[in-house]
Amino acid sequence: MDEKKERIIVAAKELIAQFGFKKTTMDEIATKARMGKSTMYYYFKNKEDIFAEIVRIDSDIFHQKLNEAIQVANSPQDKIMQYVRTRMLHLKELSNYYKTLTHEYLDHYFFIEQVREEFYNFENSILSDLINAGIEQKLFAPCDVDVVVRMITIAIKGLEYSSFTQKEQDLERDSKQMIDIIFKGIEVRA
Amino acid sequence: MDEKKERIIVAAKELIAQFGFKKTTMDEIATKARMGKSTMYYYFKNKEDIFAEIVRIDSDIFHQKLNEAIQVANSPQDKIMQYVRTRMLHLKELSNYYKTLTHEYLDHYFFIEQVREEFYNFENSILSDLINAGIEQKLFAPCDVDVVVRMITIAIKGLEYSSFTQKEQDLERDSKQMIDIIFKGIEVRA
DNA sequence: TTTCGACTATAATACGGAATTAGTCTAAAT
DNA sequence: ATTTAGACTAATTCCGTATTATAGTCGAAA
């Protein structure tokens, strides 16, 4: 029954969002999902497995949003701009959602690391493709694509950091300004 | 007696570097500095005061190193490049030195916040001056200086983050590549 | 003015028993 | 066969308390 699995996920998601992973007990999830505790063990191996599934779902949605964003835009520049913009906005939303977990991240949950790794590869591949497309279309100067991608991701890291203390609006403005500088540079043009 | 103060600082600095602020006791510092514990209270108001002084001294040295770096370089571009390079290298050194403290930073030590604020202003002022100089010398395109400075500091934050998992050499290379992109951009030139 | 040992109040720690909790198992219901 | 649940267990967390460690004070001596 997939509907049962869904109920567990929904209940767990709400509780975890409110209280964090550790503070949410299997009994609470079971009660909220209106079923016996051991029933959940028929659908999930253990507590971590439930959380892993929740993270996986969110991660899928996030990937999808990013893919949509670059499909909507036209030029490589626009695609990169929209990618970064969407990434920042939705990540802030997600991190806001998972705020109760921030502390628990310290305790190494393997699948967090795994999701991070997956996302790193995803992002790298998208950005590489966009930079390469830009070079082919003679929009970007021929350059070491890996280096450029790396610098963009480092810049994104900086944006991410500054986003902790920032409202959504400023974050979007900063993202645009950063990408703009990476595109055009600040030196005078010949 | 300034020599006593020095002895306290030296002893405290070594112990704190090795064990962290919390794990270092006033008794240990006193023993290492070869004096009675309460003697130290003649020279310092309390334990935090000793640490604040240590941080202040290190911070002064750091500022000095940065000032030297930009004096040695010639063009605004070079000065910015050297500034970032020096900043990353010495900050890595410092953070390596204070590695035992990383965890304790979480507990809000007011003077850490204060030093951070001071440094933020220092960095802002230096970068603003350099960008303005570059614009005056027609090296940089006329632009919103505050925005450019902000983007550089955000990029530096990203570099800082990636420096945690990186060796000095890569850090230096990344710094150069980042600044290079900020100068030149990646779009083709007309 | 400078130094120190003795002292105190407070904060960290250690510990043991009680309560929770993740996960299992058996058996009943569908 | 599949699904559910309540009782059960082993492990962990929690909690009150007794003990220790520690930052900071004080008065006296050098």
Side-chain angles (χ1 to χ4, degrees), chain B residues 1 4 35-36 38-39 42-43:
Chain B
M1 280 275 220
K4 285 272 168 64
M35 64 182 71
S38 34
T39 303
Y42 182 76
Y43 297 100

Side-chain angles (χ1 to χ4, degrees), chain B residues 11-71:
Chain B
K13 198 176 151 103
E14 278 182 40
L15 288 167
I16 289 174
Q18 186 170 7
F19 304 113
F21 179 71
K22 273 186 184 166
K23 291 280 185 190
T24 300
T25 71
M26 290 298 269
D27 281 312
E28 287 173 314
I29 298 173
T31 303
K32 184 150 196 149
R34 299 190 315 282
M35 64 182 71
K37 183 173 63 162
S38 34
T39 303
M40 299 193 296
Y41 285 91
Y42 182 76
Y43 297 100
F44 293 95
K45 205 169 91 249
N46 52 34
K47 192 183 173 186
E48 276 193 349
D49 230 44
I50 298 177
F51 186 48
E53 178 74 7
I54 292 174
V55 170
R56 205 190 52 71
I57 292 172
D58 278 356
S59 158
D60 280 354
I61 295 173
F62 188 40
H63 283 215
Q64 201 187 314
K65 289 250 165 82
L66 290 172
N67 276 321
E68 271 170 34
I70 61 170
Q71 268 160 28

Side-chain angles (χ1 to χ4, degrees), chain A residues 7-34:
Chain A
R7 282 218 324 258
I8 296 169
I9 290 290
V10 169
K13 198 175 149 101
E14 276 182 43
L15 288 167
I16 289 174
Q18 184 169 8
F19 303 113
F21 180 72
K22 274 186 185 168
K23 293 279 184 189
T24 299
T25 70
M26 291 297 271
D27 280 312
E28 287 173 314
I29 298 173
T31 303
K32 185 152 196 146
R34 300 190 314 284

Side-chain angles (χ1 to χ4, degrees), chain A residues 7 12 20 27 29 35 63 68 79-80 139 156 158 186 189:
Chain A
R7 282 218 324 258
D27 280 312
I29 298 173
M35 63 182 71
H63 283 216
E68 271 170 34
K79 283 178 191 287
I80 291 173
L139 295 166
I156 287 175
I186 60 173
R189 308 233 149 199

Side-chain angles (χ1 to χ4, degrees), chain A residues 3 88 102 120 149:
Chain A
E3 181 263 341
M88 298 314 293
T102 327
Y120 173 82
V149 169

Side-chain angles (χ1 to χ4, degrees), chain A residues 92 162-168 170-171 173-174, chain B residues 150:
Chain A
K92 188 168 178 73
S162 83
S163 83
F164 290 135
T165 54
Q166 234 170 13
K167 32 182 204 274
E168 201 171 285
D170 293 337
L171 180 56
R173 189 205 54 204
D174 281 355
Chain B
R150 186 165 163 64

